[in-house]
Amino acid sequence: MNPTLTAPMTASVGEQFVFWLLSALTVFFAVFTVTRRNPVTAVMSLVATFFCLAGIYATLSAHFLAILQVLVYAGAIMVLFIFVVMILNREEISPVSLRPMRFVALAGSVYLLVKFIHVSDIGLPPPGVVSGTFGTVGSIGDMLFRDFLYPFEAISLLLLVAIVGGVVVSRSHQKELDAMNAAQARKVFK
């Protein structure tokens, strides 16, 4: 038997309400993120998604994870995204056709709904009581740097590549604008 799961735990009606409210808000803001054309609006709704996820972590007694969610994702990563969006400063380009994507989105939504109904019909047992070290800095660090070391390092490399790519794209766009402005200035003086 798993030592961390010792006795069944029941959640009060208020806790269940808060959990389902935060879950619904998380899904709403996530969908809002991927459906916005304005990149700043999409990033800000992603921030709201991260805050709702932090609230879910807090309701699950993982307070350290909730704080990390706010500090790292809603703080640092979102600042990075905002800087990249503002550095690129690209005009909005409308896609050629969204009709096939709507059908794919509808099919994916129906699939997720069927899976959700299937999981809710299984009748999972209630979660057990967790150990006293659950969600602490030591247990998170132990799991992160022992069990998930390679994914952790891969994500840090991915973020580094994204930052370098953003800088390269913004500089090439700036050089292109400078060249166009210089050409315009030469036309005016001729």
Side-chain angles (χ1 to χ4, degrees):
M1 181 169 186
N2 191 347
T4 60
L5 303 175
T6 56
M9 185 172 93
T10 59
S12 69
V13 174
E15 289 174 339
Q16 289 180 359
F17 175 75
V18 169
F19 176 79
W20 285 107
L21 177 69
L22 287 172
S23 299
L25 285 173
T26 302
V27 170
F28 171 76
F29 283 121
V31 169
F32 199 74
T33 298
V34 297
T35 57
R36 298 302 98 194
R37 287 185 181 210
N38 185 348
V40 175
T41 305
V43 168
M44 295 313 290
S45 46
L46 190 59
V47 169
T49 304
F50 288 154
F51 273 110
C52 291
L53 280 174
I56 290 173
Y57 290 149
T59 61
L60 295 174
S61 297
H63 299 119
F64 181 68
L65 284 178
I67 291 170
L68 280 181
Q69 179 75 24
V70 170
L71 288 177
V72 173
Y73 288 104
I77 300 298
M78 284 300 104
V79 168
L80 173 74
F81 284 0
I82 289 289
F83 278 136
V84 167
V85 165
M86 291 186 179
I87 284 173
L88 293 178
N89 197 18
R90 298 282 185 172
E91 295 84 24
E92 292 181 18
I93 300 171
S94 61
V96 177
S97 173
L98 287 178
R99 294 212 187 272
M101 295 306 287
R102 289 181 183 172
F103 291 121
V104 171
L106 180 65
S109 300
V110 169
Y111 174 77
L112 287 176
L113 182 65
V114 167
K115 284 297 181 183
F116 179 73
I117 291 170
H118 174 70
V119 167
S120 63
D121 287 343
I122 291 176
L124 298 173
V129 175
V130 296
S131 70
T133 61
F134 177 76
T136 62
V137 177
S139 66
I140 299 293
D142 186 47
M143 186 181 351
L144 193 60
F145 291 114
R146 284 199 180 143
D147 300 335
F148 296 102
L149 178 65
Y150 294 117
F152 180 75
E153 292 299 325
I155 288 175
S156 67
L157 286 175
L158 179 70
L159 286 173
L160 178 66
V161 168
I163 292 170
V164 170
V167 169
V168 167
V169 168
S170 79
R171 286 194 179 205
S172 65
H173 181 66
Q174 188 63 37
K175 285 181 183 178
E176 182 180 315
L177 287 176
D178 290 342
M180 288 174 38
N181 290 337
Q184 291 292 334
R186 282 191 298 254
K187 283 183 181 178
V188 170
F189 288 121
K190 284 185 178 183

